[in-house]
Amino acid sequence: LPLSGALPFPAAAASSVGLRALSSLASRLLGEGTGLGKAPRGGLALARCLPRTQVRPHMHHNHNPDGETIKVTFIDKDGDEHDIEAPVGANLLEIAHMNDVELEGACEGSLACSTCHLIVEDEDHYDLMEEPDDDENDMLDLAFGLTETSRLGCQVICKPELDGLRVRIPSATRNMAVDGFVPKPH
């Protein structure tokens, strides 16, 4: 086929023919029972062969404004302290954003970065938290200034036993996506 000019058949037919050929090739190469199955209209049903991962809760939970709160202190990069009455059930990234505390959170709480890295000041409070899971530990490995009491703010949920929690925001973050970008919560 020439590289310029019109195709000898309609573009819609080209994409349909391409998908059917790809599906046929996949069936021949991979055999039956691979999970590819038959897709509607001759397309390739790839969704069934992709790994399924657990859906993690996103930010923007609805919190009862009349509900229970705990005191959380954020210590920012300049050493200034921000005392906040945080609703029980909210995570620290949400609380920081709701109170204009400068904590990046580039992935908006989806556990895909380490920019909401916090350092828990008191080991006793750290010990009261649930252990970080493997996904959080993987992201923490990318964090700037990692310590023994480091956590991701999006993964720390406020509970009554954490009343008086003090967390330090590290002096820098590692944002692999866009360095210097600070997202605005929506």
Side-chain angles (χ1 to χ4, degrees):
L1 290 174
L3 294 177
S4 61
L7 293 172
F9 45 87
S15 62
S16 176
V17 168
L19 286 175
R20 279 195 296 268
L22 183 59
S23 181
S24 174
L25 177 62
S27 294
R28 285 192 308 244
L29 291 175
L30 300 174
E32 295 301 320
T34 60
L36 291 173
K38 292 184 179 178
R41 301 179 195 205
L44 187 61
L46 289 176
R48 283 188 245 146
C49 44
L50 295 175
R52 297 180 192 253
T53 57
Q54 176 184 357
V55 176
R56 296 201 170 268
H58 193 61
M59 290 179 34
H60 315 299
H61 304 287
N62 293 324
H63 302 288
N64 180 355
D66 298 326
E68 186 176 4
T69 62
I70 64 171
K71 180 182 174 189
V72 175
T73 301
F74 288 90
I75 305 165
D76 68 21
K77 297 171 186 179
D78 299 323
D80 296 329
E81 295 189 7
H82 305 269
D83 293 327
I84 295 169
E85 289 297 319
V88 169
N91 68 53
L92 294 180
L93 178 60
E94 291 175 302
I95 293 163
H97 286 181
M98 288 187 295
N99 292 280
D100 296 323
V101 173
E102 193 175 328
L103 181 62
E104 188 171 345
C107 72
E108 297 184 357
S110 64
L111 197 55
C113 74
S114 64
T115 60
C116 65
H117 171 220
L118 295 168
I119 299 166
V120 179
E121 291 281 290
D122 182 4
E123 285 187 37
D124 291 335
H125 273 124
Y126 182 85
D127 292 339
L128 293 172
M129 297 176 184
E130 291 181 24
E131 289 288 319
D133 64 15
D134 290 342
D135 292 334
E136 182 178 359
N137 279 324
D138 289 346
M139 290 297 107
L140 280 169
D141 287 341
L142 304 173
F144 177 84
L146 188 65
T147 71
E148 289 293 320
T149 60
S150 288
R151 291 297 303 265
L152 295 181
C154 66
Q155 298 301 300
V156 177
I157 307 299
C158 290
K159 298 177 181 176
E161 59 268 23
L162 295 178
D163 190 34
L165 178 66
R166 294 173 55 82
V167 292
R168 179 174 301 281
I169 300 171
S171 60
T173 62
R174 288 193 181 126
N175 185 348
M176 304 302 181
V178 180
D179 212 3
F181 173 71
V182 178
K184 301 278 187 226
H186 54 272

